[in-house]
Amino acid sequence: MLFHASQTGQHYFGYNYLGIGEMGRSGAYTFFFALTGYFMFTLYREQFGRTELFGTFLLKRFCRVYPLYWVIMAAVVPVFFSGAVVRLRL
C-alpha cells in the first residue's frame, strides 16, 4: 500500500515523499501471494468443496481484514495528502 501511495504521489505531484522506489518491484508481491496460498491451503484444506462453509469463511475474513484496513487507511491517507500539499506549496 505504501509503495502505491508513493508512486501516486510521484505521478500526480512529482515528488515521492515516502522515498519508496524499487522496493515494490523486489518480488514481495510474489512472496506474499505464495505465502498466502500456502497458509490458505494448510488452514482450510479440510473445508475445500464444502460450499455451506463459504459464507462463514467470507464473514470471518471480512471481520479480520477490513477493520484493520480502514484504521490504516484513516492514518495513511491524511499523511499522504498533507505531504503532497506541503510539497505543492514549496
Side-chain angles (χ1 to χ4, degrees), residues 36-50 53 56-58 60-61 64:
T36 302
Y38 170 76
F39 281 128
M40 294 287 283
F41 177 75
T42 57
L43 294 173
Y44 296 106
R45 67 178 152 208
E46 295 86 20
Q47 299 176 10
F48 287 167
R50 296 180 60 193
L53 299 176
T56 305
F57 169 78
L58 287 180
K60 286 180 181 179
R61 185 144 176 94
R64 186 173 49 248

Side-chain angles (χ1 to χ4, degrees), residues 14-83:
Y15 178 68
N16 184 347
Y17 76 96
L18 291 175
I20 300 173
E22 296 298 316
M23 185 179 77
R25 295 180 184 93
S26 66
Y29 288 127
T30 305
F31 176 73
F32 171 77
F33 285 114
L35 186 64
T36 302
Y38 170 76
F39 281 128
M40 294 287 283
F41 177 75
T42 57
L43 294 173
Y44 296 106
R45 67 178 152 208
E46 295 86 20
Q47 299 176 10
F48 287 167
R50 296 180 60 193
T51 57
E52 68 273 7
L53 299 176
F54 187 65
T56 305
F57 169 78
L58 287 180
L59 180 64
K60 286 180 181 179
R61 185 144 176 94
F62 179 84
C63 292
R64 186 173 49 248
V65 171
Y66 278 98
L68 181 60
Y69 171 80
W70 287 111
V71 166
I72 291 172
M73 286 297 289
V76 169
V77 167
V79 170
F80 173 76
F81 283 110
S82 68

